[in-house]
């Protein structure tokens, strides 16, 4: 993204965004509500256009990258089709894009990766929130994207389920090191998953700071209890205050 801006009804949501995400990196957008995190993600996914500046994915416009199946998108809500089984929801991108890699075998392999083999023939109404979000992740991976965009995928889940899915997400990422751009409101979640955290200012969102996360990978579930983790999380909270958001001492 170079010089990117986007307005809604004449009000700037984001302005002068310059951001590059290196291949294979896990980068999180972090900031107060209304700072444009989801707007940036939707522009990267080609769902909305920038009013100013340039957005590219692998050097191409987002729409072209999406047509080339380079981009997977995980929304805040799973948005599963209620009349289709779990397996058929995962197959959906292949059918929409008229792409059939290997039928049931590949779809079942994806479900195995997210721990849902036994739920393959259930309808979404029978799933817990965490299970539904696992299906959404498997569906996003179905076309083999090199870039995964995730818009607060765990926000609606209880904390225990969030912890489980954060760990699962990193296991999946460690296996292929695809590029991830992730959105969250949680400082602990941002530190746990990220290589870098991009701190945005209150609206109009601007890049205020990029905080590196110098924690070794793979990251065990109990890393949040370590002094190193606590120090980075504290730095992230301080950065949010420096950006003009968050409680002040």
């Amino acid at each position: 993204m170079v010089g990117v801006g986007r307005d809604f009804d004449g009000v700037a949501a984001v302005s002068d965004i310059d951001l590059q995400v290196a291949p294979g990196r896990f980068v999180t957008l972090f900031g107060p509500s209304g700072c444009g995190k989801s707007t940036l993600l939707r522009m990267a996914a080609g769902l909305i256009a920038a009013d100013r500046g340039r957005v590219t994915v692998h050097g191409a416009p987002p729409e072209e990258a999406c047509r080339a199946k380079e981009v997977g998108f995980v929304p805040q809500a799973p948005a599963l089709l209620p009349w289709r089984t779990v397996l058929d929801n995962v197959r959906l991108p292949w059918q929409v894009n008229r792409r059939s890699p290997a039928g049931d075998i590949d779809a079942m392999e994806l479900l195995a990766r997210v721990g849902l083999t036994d739920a393959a023939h259930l309808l979404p109404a029978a799933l817990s929130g965490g299970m539904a979000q696992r299906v959404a992740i498997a569906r996003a991976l179905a076309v083999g994207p090199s870039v995964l965009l995730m818009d607060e995928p765990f926000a609606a889940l209880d904390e225990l389920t969030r912890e489980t899915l954060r760990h699962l997400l990193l296991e999946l990422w460690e296996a292929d090191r695809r590029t991830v751009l992730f959105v969250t409101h949680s400082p602990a979640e941002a530190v746990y998953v990220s290589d870098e955290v991009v701190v945005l200012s209150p609206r109009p969102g601007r890049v205020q700071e990029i905080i590196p996360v110098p924690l070794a990978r793979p990251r065990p579930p109990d890393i949040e209890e370590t002094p190193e983790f606590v120090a980075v999380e504290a730095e992230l909270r301080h950065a949010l205050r420096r950006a003009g958001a968050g409680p002040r001492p």
Side-chain angles (χ1 to χ4, degrees), residues 199 209 234-249:
V199 180
E209 296 184 52
E235 175 60 20
L236 190 54
R237 293 180 185 275
H238 292 324
L240 196 62
R241 288 196 286 270
R242 290 192 294 268
R248 296 186 178 277

Side-chain angles (χ1 to χ4, degrees), residues 44-166:
L47 298 176
I48 59 175
D51 292 322
R52 298 171 295 282
R54 183 165 55 94
V55 181
T56 59
V57 179
H58 296 320
E63 298 83 358
E64 184 177 322
C66 289
R67 284 195 295 271
K69 314 301 185 292
E70 293 291 341
V71 178
F73 188 82
V74 181
Q76 294 181 21
L80 304 180
L81 298 181
W83 59 88
R84 296 178 69 109
T85 66
V86 164
L87 186 62
D88 284 339
N89 268 284
V90 174
R91 287 175 179 155
L92 184 62
W94 297 333
Q95 296 168 349
V96 170
N97 292 289
R98 299 180 182 179
R99 179 174 177 173
S100 300
D104 292 350
I105 296 176
D106 284 339
M108 289 301 294
E109 285 178 355
L110 283 169
L111 288 177
R113 293 185 68 190
V114 298
L116 287 179
T117 303
D118 292 343
H121 298 292
L122 296 179
L123 292 174
L127 306 178
S128 67
M131 293 170 71
Q133 201 60 290
R134 291 185 192 205
V135 178
I137 293 171
R139 181 183 59 194
L141 297 175
V143 294
S146 60
V147 176
L148 186 62
L149 307 173
M150 307 188 77
D151 190 5
E152 295 191 77
F154 311 142
L157 305 176
D158 64 87
E159 187 56 33
L160 183 59
T161 303
R162 286 180 73 148
E163 288 182 6
T164 300
L165 290 190
R166 285 198 294 262

Side-chain angles (χ1 to χ4, degrees), residues 221-234:
D222 61 355
I223 195 172
E224 296 185 32
E225 302 169 13
T226 65
E228 294 81 6
F229 186 99
V230 172
V232 179
E233 185 180 358

Side-chain angles (χ1 to χ4, degrees), residues 1-6 14-19 50-54:
M1 297 183 179
V2 179
V4 169
R6 170 74 194 202
V14 293
S15 181
D16 298 320
I17 296 289
D18 291 318
L19 178 64
D51 292 322
R52 298 171 295 282
R54 183 165 55 94

